[in-house]
Amino acid sequence: MAPRPLELDHDTMQRMGRQVADTVAAHLASLRDQPAYATLDRSGARVLLQAAPPEHGAPFEDVLRAFSERIAPHHAREPHPRFLGYIPSCPTFPAVMGDWLATGFNFFAGVWSVAAAPNEVELTVLEWFRRWMMMPEGASGLLTSGGSAATVTAVVAARHAALRGNAADIGRLTAYCSDQAHSSFTKAAWIAGVPRENIRPVPTDAAFRMQPAALRAAVAADVRAGKLPFIVCSTAGATNTGAVDPLHEIADLAAELKLWLHTDAAYAGFGVLTERGRALLDGIGRSDTLTLDPHKWLYVPFECGCLLARDPAALAAAFSVHPEYLRDVQAGDAEVNFSDYGEQLTRYSRALKVWFSVTYFGTAAIAAEQDRAMSLAEEAEQVVRGAAGLEVLTRAQFGIVCFRVHPPGVDDPAALDALNDEVNRRVNRTGFVLMSSTRLHGALSLRLCIPGYRTTSDDVRAVLQLVRDTARDVQADGMGRQP
Ligand SMILES: *Cc1c(COP(=O)(O)O)cnc(C)c1O
């Protein structure tokens, strides 16, 4: 049998495209009736999917059916109204369409000359972000695969600036963040070559905010010990609790101590679109570099992170190389080669999905949903406060509320942890909701994270009722009683 040609005719492409669009639309429109969470163990997944690569192809309908029947069912639905664990990603449909167009046209967004207009869209989107984040004119950066990649880019730029060519000093570089900072900062520092023992988790206060005095003391001790403090990472919206470090105080200290100021606002940064978010994030614009995650609270699909730099030339200083085979694509003074700002040469146009969604809905609609999500978390907090046997551990902030089951009379910490762990496991096993747990000052906490636009008050109340019912069952089974 002759192999089929790879080029398809117009009608065939159109038919396939419609089938896929129909599949996605049907999936998204029926999310509420699907489980929020479904998974497989490895052996089950292998039986379902492992196969040798076929030498000869199959009809598209068969491939799509295999997707629908064997792949699609077995995943946690991030955009589901009751996906409330970790940090949900709830993309708008126009954002998904923009992403498809970027892929369909296969724009090469690494250098200016081969994708001028898509690159201008990226600069436009970055300029929107700069204004929202109140960074000074001239600040810009690039879109990345996610917050982790953005932070790696920032730390590498900071390292380059700190070493000033003295590579031998790399073993002295020392980095600071709070003990609530996202692990991606530590990982970024590792990748950048900062010795693992030179990453300082600075203690936080009762509200999980970095203590500036402790930062000052840690830097002073390190200087005395011959270290080279070079970067501090403020967290503006901690993944655990939504807590925001004292941004102004840390910015003042960074200026005084000559530290590169990075801010990790991957989760909560786009909350600046709301009035209360803007108040909570005051000072964010003072950063040297700032990590954002449009695939979280700007409602675009994976993958989309962003790094903004006060001085994009600092990124170019660290990342720009000009090999002979790219001599035709050097950027002019007014143009930008995004490959000069980060590690990727070939990169797709992530800006399209942001541009489509924001242009279609406008910022007011997006801000309204963010605001509504924050109110829902506050409502969840109120329900928890009013429920016997539940206890608020951190107040709702940026759509996150931490709480636990705490039956009257049960005060042994280990028993409470075991009870909450079991409640978390059983609740998630139902598939009705995905929530997650964390530890706060040592105590096991349940956590709801509600940034999505599909979640309703009824969802939140039903989830909390399920937690209470489950807690009762777990206790009836003999757990969580005073030992
Ligand atoms: C999600 C998150 C990150 C990591 O971003 P990815 O997009 O997952 O790489 C970093 N910091 C914070 C505060 C986050 O919430």
Side-chain angles (χ1 to χ4, degrees):
M1 192 170 30
R4 30 160 89 139
L6 296 187
E7 181 167 21
L8 302 182
D9 62 65
H10 176 262
D11 287 353
T12 304
M13 290 191 288
Q14 192 174 52
R15 184 169 49 79
M16 289 180 179
R18 286 186 176 152
Q19 286 175 307
V20 169
D22 286 350
T23 301
V24 175
H27 167 68
L28 294 176
S30 66
L31 268 177
R32 181 171 287 285
D33 305 321
Q34 300 180 42
Y37 179 61
T39 192
L40 289 173
D41 62 19
R42 180 65 208 275
S43 61
R46 190 186 295 133
V47 167
L48 208 53
L49 292 162
Q50 279 277 334
E55 185 175 355
H56 301 290
F60 191 70
E61 286 72 13
D62 292 359
V63 183
L64 189 55
R65 189 174 321 111
F67 170 82
S68 294
E69 291 176 357
R70 285 189 268 150
I71 300 173
H74 309 290
H75 78 294
R77 278 78 166 155
E78 292 264 345
H80 192 285
R82 290 182 303 274
F83 187 113
L84 306 176
Y86 313 108
I87 292 182
S89 175
C90 192
T92 68
F93 196 68
V96 173
M97 296 295 93
D99 213 13
W100 192 28
L101 285 166
T103 306
F105 280 76
N106 210 25
F107 300 125
F108 184 102
V111 298
W112 179 267
S113 55
V114 299
N119 285 329
E120 186 63 32
V121 174
E122 184 156 343
L123 290 172
T124 302
V125 162
L126 291 163
E127 176 64 10
W128 294 347
F129 295 176
R130 177 192 76 76
R131 285 167 181 260
W132 296 346
M133 300 302 149
M134 297 159 285
M135 287 183 84
E137 226 169 288
S140 190
L142 78 172
L143 299 180
T144 62
S145 57
S148 302
T151 299
V152 168
T153 309
V155 177
V156 168
R159 177 197 66 190
H160 183 79
L163 289 179
R164 295 202 197 90
N166 296 323
D169 284 343
I170 196 164
R172 296 165 54 220
L173 290 178
T174 308
Y176 306 81
C177 58
S178 88
D179 61 21
Q180 295 295 303
H182 192 272
S183 57
S184 55
F185 180 73
T186 297
K187 201 193 262 193
W190 289 357
I191 293 169
V194 176
R196 296 194 176 202
E197 65 277 15
N198 286 6
I199 295 160
R200 303 275 178 265
V202 176
T204 48
D205 62 17
F208 300 98
R209 299 152 38 100
M210 191 195 292
Q211 299 186 28
L215 171 64
R216 179 190 286 282
V219 172
D222 283 327
V223 169
R224 279 196 302 277
K227 304 282 188 193
L228 197 59
F230 79 112
I231 188 170
V232 57
C233 174
S234 283
T235 299
T239 312
N240 261 345
T241 60
V244 178
D245 286 339
L247 301 179
H248 279 295
E249 283 174 81
I250 295 172
D252 290 344
L253 263 179
E256 179 192 327
L257 303 171
K258 305 215 166 12
L259 300 175
W260 183 288
L261 176 61
H262 180 70
T263 304
D264 181 359
Y267 171 59
F270 289 107
V272 289
L273 288 172
T274 66
E275 210 171 309
R276 47 182 152 168
R278 207 152 39 241
L280 287 166
L281 294 167
D282 185 44
I284 195 171
R286 296 177 64 182
S287 318
D288 291 307
T289 43
L290 172 61
T291 287
L292 297 169
D293 247 349
H295 64 208
K296 287 176 179 163
W297 228 1
L298 200 60
Y299 306 120
V300 307
F302 302 137
E303 303 170 345
C304 195
C306 174
L307 182 71
L308 288 177
R310 165 182 304 273
D311 178 12
L315 302 181
F319 286 98
S320 155
V321 286
H322 297 272
E324 299 302 329
Y325 43 82
L326 290 179
R327 57 183 298 281
D328 299 340
V329 297
Q330 309 269 319
D333 284 348
E335 286 85 37
V336 170
N337 281 354
F338 286 108
S339 61
D340 287 341
Y341 285 177
E343 107 285 8
Q344 272 188 297
L345 173 58
T346 300
R347 56 199 292 282
Y348 89 108
S349 178
R350 297 187 172 90
L352 262 289
K353 52 186 159 189
V354 175
W355 186 81
F356 256 80
S357 187
V358 174
T359 307
Y360 179 82
F361 287 108
T363 54
I366 292 168
E369 285 303 337
Q370 295 170 333
D371 208 63
R372 202 184 61 88
M374 286 192 263
S375 296
L376 274 181
E378 286 171 4
E379 184 179 335
E381 180 189 331
Q382 290 316 315
V383 173
V384 170
R385 283 195 196 287
L390 294 183
E391 175 186 21
V392 171
L393 292 181
T394 63
R395 303 195 49 182
Q397 181 150 296
F398 289 122
I400 298 173
V401 60
C402 292
F403 66 105
R404 68 175 170 180
V405 175
H406 191 163
V410 181
D411 289 312
D412 175 59
L416 278 174
D417 284 1
L419 171 60
N420 280 279
D421 208 23
E422 181 63 14
V423 168
N424 186 46
R425 245 170 28 84
R426 287 199 199 179
V427 163
N428 285 326
R429 217 166 43 206
T430 65
F432 179 74
V433 55
L434 180 78
M435 60 178 198
S436 55
S437 64
T438 187
R439 278 194 184 273
L440 298 174
H441 293 142
L444 200 135
S445 169
L446 307 176
R447 175 178 166 283
L448 297 180
C449 181
I450 318 177
Y453 56 81
R454 287 189 178 86
T455 310
T456 64
S457 171
D458 286 348
D459 287 317
V460 168
R461 287 172 185 273
V463 165
L464 289 171
Q465 190 57 48
L466 177 63
V467 168
R468 296 174 72 184
D469 294 345
T470 307
R472 211 184 39 233
D473 292 348
V474 173
Q475 284 200 285
D477 292 350
M479 279 187 76
R481 298 219 185 93
Q482 204 71 292

